[in-house]
Amino acid sequence: EFEKGKHVHSRIPSQLLQHDDYVQNALINMYSHFNDLQRAIEIFEAIPASHRNNGNTISAMLKAYSSHDCHRETLALYQEYAADNDMNDICRLFVLKSCVALNDYA
């Protein structure tokens, strides 16, 4: 399945990759699901800032970090974007999971 996903990714036009939130979020989720966190991070970081600043994209990356026990990165990402975005409840759940894992409730 992972190879099929990578093949589909390779066939997506770069214009669509840069400007379609649904495609970007799906790719972040796919790579994270198949334990390629580094590739998920690369996709997130390649998203233009104007498209990265939405709750769904942030949520996809928070989920990726959290599911790989990268709890400090989860909290850092949330802190970086929380002030400028309307974070959804899903984002908050990933942050709470990381707080519990780190025993950091402040």
Side-chain angles (χ1 to χ4, degrees):
E1 298 297 321
F2 186 43
E3 292 305 316
K4 288 180 186 176
K6 290 193 304 186
H7 176 73
V8 169
H9 178 194
S10 73
R11 313 268 306 166
I12 298 171
S14 62
Q15 189 72 357
L16 190 61
L17 285 173
Q18 291 183 357
H19 299 290
D20 191 305
D21 298 342
Y22 295 108
V23 172
Q24 296 158 346
N25 298 342
L27 288 171
I28 290 169
N29 285 322
M30 180 195 74
Y31 282 105
S32 174
H33 176 78
F34 287 107
N35 295 315
D36 193 346
L37 180 60
Q38 186 56 45
R39 188 68 180 121
I41 293 167
E42 290 168 5
I43 290 167
F44 178 76
E45 290 178 348
I47 298 170
S50 60
H51 289 267
R52 196 184 306 169
N53 292 339
N54 70 66
N56 292 329
T57 301
I58 302 302
S59 178
M61 200 60 230
L62 289 171
K63 177 183 177 184
Y65 280 137
S66 179
S67 66
H68 289 275
D69 295 328
C70 297
H71 301 297
R72 294 196 190 289
E73 291 84 350
T74 302
L75 298 180
L77 183 67
Y78 181 79
Q79 289 173 342
E80 181 178 349
Y81 288 97
D84 298 332
N85 297 286
D86 293 327
M87 292 291 162
N88 57 41
D89 290 340
I90 301 299
C91 291
R92 290 182 190 91
L93 289 174
F94 294 124
V95 170
L96 287 173
K97 177 184 174 189
S98 291
C99 289
V100 169
L102 294 170
N103 275 337
D104 183 359
Y105 306 110

